């Protein structure tokens, strides 16, 4: 089962390319689901009449063509309410328990119901065995990053929260009262948090696994490229695999009048930068069509020219942005692809069995793989777009 996510700056053609890729996969006989995490839900519009009625919340996926199904996620009221309870509870406990400063800062990323619901829905479909391909049409970059950072970040809260909570409940139950300042959770909240934790863990495993990848959609414009480059860095930071770049709305070069010729020239410059920026990643391009590509066939055509002879669903062969190598002296190196950053832009901190990595406004709390937690950080550098954090035996230091 293959999962492909599309993200990029607002309006660049994410939904169009996602819808097209899904239509192409379906036309080639793969059972395909296309799902949107964006509240704007333009997928149904892109598919046109075939998808009308595909928007009501909680509904089964709608078949828009043979093998092609569409699901738009709507945050149901019920979920929104129970999420609001969980959210309030998480905040109050963390506050009452006097969490450490890192935690307090991270609190601000507790996400909204819609994002959580989209992830849970994605997981349910991915695990259902019903699909060969799940295509995800994401919201614009910043929201997508928030969404993709969520499973790990939330898992992190919950892992810290549950023990605190157990202790508190145990200690305080005899003298239980609200004056203690720590609200006692109802059983429902407790169960909901535990279940959510397990499910989000699973989402993270799915999305950072070998069969999932993200594609960056851009139009050949300077500001758009700048955002795509930042997104590339952040996606790597969170451990997601980017397996392609889509340059959409490229002006045709032939018979251009002076106005278009100027655009062609400007785009040529940016496209050259694109080719250099994402060194190694395939760049697929799609022309600016004379009209909006709407309808299953038009979208499949667009995707077919976009990918040409390459397989749009090929499983990426590289090992992804994150790996650990062990050295003979008992040490290890954590490698994380971090394109476009220099060492001074990466902040590193050690927090028990975690490595806290901050790049720009994004922070990841990486739980160290087994065996590394007892080692000390011996150094870190950024080389060729890769962060390398060296771990060594604590004993070496003493010698
Ligand atoms: N290659 C193309 N040629 C012509 N029009 C295009 C092309 N790609 C996309 N469009 C049109 O551009 C508009 C925006 O595309 P789309 O909705 O796919 O962007 P998006 O990135 O999903 O936007 P949003 O950020 O709002 O979700 C749509 O009207 C779409 O039909
Ligand atoms: Mg869209």
């Amino acid at each position: 089962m293959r999962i492909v996510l599309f993200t990029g700056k607002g309006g660049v053609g994410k939904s169009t390319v996602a819808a097209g890729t899904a239509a192409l996969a379906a036309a080639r006989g793969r059972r395909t689901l296309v799902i949107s995490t964006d509240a704007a839900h333009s997928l149904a519009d892109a598919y046109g009449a075939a998808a009308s009625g595909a928007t009501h919340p909680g509904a089964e996926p709608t078949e828009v063509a043979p093998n092609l199904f569409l699901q738009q996620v709507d945050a149901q009221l019920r979920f929104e309410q129970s999420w609001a309870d969980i959210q309030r509870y998480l905040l109050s406990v963390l506050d009452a328990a006097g969490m450490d400063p890192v935690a307090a800062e991270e609190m601000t990323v507790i996400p909204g119901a819609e994002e959580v619901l989209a992830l849970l829905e994605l997981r349910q479909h991915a695990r259902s065995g019903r699909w060969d391909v799940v295509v995800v049409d994401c919201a614009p970059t910043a929201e997508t990053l928030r969404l993709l950072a969520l499973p790990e970040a939330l898992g992190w809260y919950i892992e810290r929260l549950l023990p605190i909570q157990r202790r508190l409940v145990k200690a305080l139950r005899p003298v239980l009262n609200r004056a203690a300042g720590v609200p006692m959770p109802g059983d429902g909240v407790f169960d909901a948090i535990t279940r959510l934790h397990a499910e989000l863990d699973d989402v993270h495993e799915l999305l950072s696994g070998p069969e999932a990848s993200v594609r960056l959609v851009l139009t050949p414009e300077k500001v758009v490229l700048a955002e795509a480059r930042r997104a590339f860095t952040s996606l790597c930071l969170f451990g997601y695999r980017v397996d392609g770049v889509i340059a959409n709305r490229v002006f045709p070069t032939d018979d251009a009048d002076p106005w278009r010729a100027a655009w062609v020239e400007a785009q040529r410059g940016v496209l050259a930068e694109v080719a250099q920026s994402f060194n190694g990643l395939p760049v697929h391009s799609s022309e600016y069509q004379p009209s909006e590509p709407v309808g299953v066939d038009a979208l499949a055509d667009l995707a077919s020219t976009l990918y040409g002879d390459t397989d749009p669903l090929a499983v990426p062969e590289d090992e992804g942005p994150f790996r650990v190598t062990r050295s003979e002296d008992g040490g290890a190196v954590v490698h994380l692809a971090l394109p476009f950053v220099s060492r001074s832009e990466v902040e590193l901190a050690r927090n028990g069995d975690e490595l806290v990595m901050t790049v720009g406004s994004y922070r990841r709390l990486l739980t160290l793989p087994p065996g590394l937690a007892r080692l000390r950080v011996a150094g870190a550098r950024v080389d060729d777009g890769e962060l390398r954090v060296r771990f060594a035996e604590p004993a070496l230091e003493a010698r």
Side-chain angles (χ1 to χ4, degrees):
M1 204 264 321
R2 184 76 168 88
I3 304 179
V4 189
L5 298 94
F6 290 88
T7 190
K9 198 168 161 59
V12 294
K14 298 176 292 296
S15 300
T16 302
V17 175
T21 306
L24 186 62
R28 293 182 179 171
R30 313 283 282 265
R31 287 168 303 153
T32 306
L33 177 74
V34 53
I35 184 167
S36 151
T37 71
D38 186 357
H41 295 329
S42 42
L43 281 174
D45 297 334
Y47 284 129
S52 62
T55 45
H56 46 103
E60 271 286 284
T62 310
E63 185 167 12
V64 292
N67 290 323
L68 180 60
F69 290 77
L70 167 61
Q71 174 89 73
Q72 308 205 94
V73 179
D74 283 272
Q76 290 124 299
L77 192 62
R78 190 174 48 74
F79 180 82
E80 229 167 86
Q81 278 163 352
S82 67
W83 177 246
D85 285 349
I86 295 176
Q87 220 171 11
R88 207 171 312 116
Y89 178 70
L90 288 176
L91 286 165
S92 61
V93 173
L94 287 176
D95 184 39
M99 280 304 254
D100 66 84
V102 175
E105 206 175 306
E106 289 301 304
M107 286 310 302
T108 53
V109 305
I110 283 197
E114 227 160 82
E115 291 166 306
V116 177
L117 194 75
L119 286 176
L120 297 181
E121 189 109 19
L122 169 63
R123 168 182 173 271
Q124 190 215 320
H125 282 293
R127 291 291 185 211
S128 70
R130 229 178 123 183
W131 314 108
D132 299 322
V133 184
V134 176
V135 171
V136 188
D137 172 27
C138 298
T141 327
E143 279 154 75
T144 303
L145 289 168
R146 213 151 57 104
L147 181 81
L148 292 179
L150 165 67
E152 208 176 46
L154 205 60
W156 184 86
Y157 293 131
I158 291 172
E159 260 158 41
R160 268 153 195 75
L161 205 62
L162 288 184
I164 294 176
Q165 186 197 41
R166 290 221 177 88
R167 258 200 330 270
L168 287 174
V169 170
K170 215 166 139 195
L172 295 180
R173 194 153 268 156
V175 287
L176 174 69
N177 56 53
R178 285 178 183 274
V182 178
M184 290 297 134
D187 282 348
V189 173
F190 194 84
D191 292 350
I193 292 177
T194 312
R195 202 171 48 240
L196 188 66
H197 183 205
E199 290 178 350
L200 287 175
D201 242 14
D202 192 40
V203 172
H204 190 248
E205 200 176 308
L206 271 172
L207 294 184
S208 55
E211 291 181 324
S213 62
V214 184
R215 280 178 205 159
L216 285 169
V217 187
L218 53 81
T219 50
E221 286 143 344
K222 283 201 163 92
V223 283
V224 179
L225 172 59
E227 180 163 323
R229 286 165 55 108
R230 284 191 297 269
F232 187 31
T233 307
S234 306
L235 285 164
C236 289
L237 173 67
F238 291 117
Y240 294 99
R241 185 191 307 259
V242 178
D243 75 341
V245 175
I246 314 274
N248 187 33
R249 285 210 228 110
V250 178
F251 283 108
T253 51
D254 46 320
D255 304 326
D257 59 32
W259 177 81
R260 177 147 58 90
W263 270 111
V264 167
E265 201 39 44
Q267 288 198 340
R268 202 198 316 271
V270 181
L271 285 168
E273 266 185 73
V274 170
Q276 282 177 357
S277 292
F278 304 97
N279 215 351
L281 283 184
V283 178
H284 309 284
S285 28
S286 172
E287 281 199 344
Y288 209 136
Q289 318 253 323
S291 65
E292 289 180 66
V294 171
V296 176
D297 295 339
L299 290 165
D301 282 351
L302 182 141
S304 163
T305 15
L306 186 66
Y307 296 108
D309 297 335
T310 63
D311 176 4
L313 302 171
V315 174
E317 277 166 12
D318 69 292
E319 52 208 340
F322 179 78
R323 77 200 153 91
V324 178
T325 52
R326 312 262 169 180
S327 51
E328 276 170 16
D329 61 4
V333 179
V334 165
H335 304 252
L336 183 71
L338 275 184
F340 315 128
V341 303
S342 62
R343 177 65 185 88
S344 62
E345 293 167 276
V346 183
E347 239 178 82
L348 284 174
R350 177 72 183 274
N351 188 6
D353 63 349
E354 273 156 9
L355 198 57
V356 186
M357 302 183 288
T358 313
V359 178
S361 52
Y362 292 98
R363 168 175 297 165
R364 180 175 184 198
L365 296 146
L366 178 80
T367 302
L368 292 170
L372 261 66
R374 59 178 191 87
L375 302 179
R376 71 187 166 90
V377 173
R381 57 201 278 193
V382 174
D383 264 334
D384 289 336
E386 189 182 73
L387 169 69
R388 286 170 209 158
V389 185
R390 211 152 39 79
F391 287 79
E393 290 280 356
L396 287 177
E397 202 171 20
R399 255 186 253 157

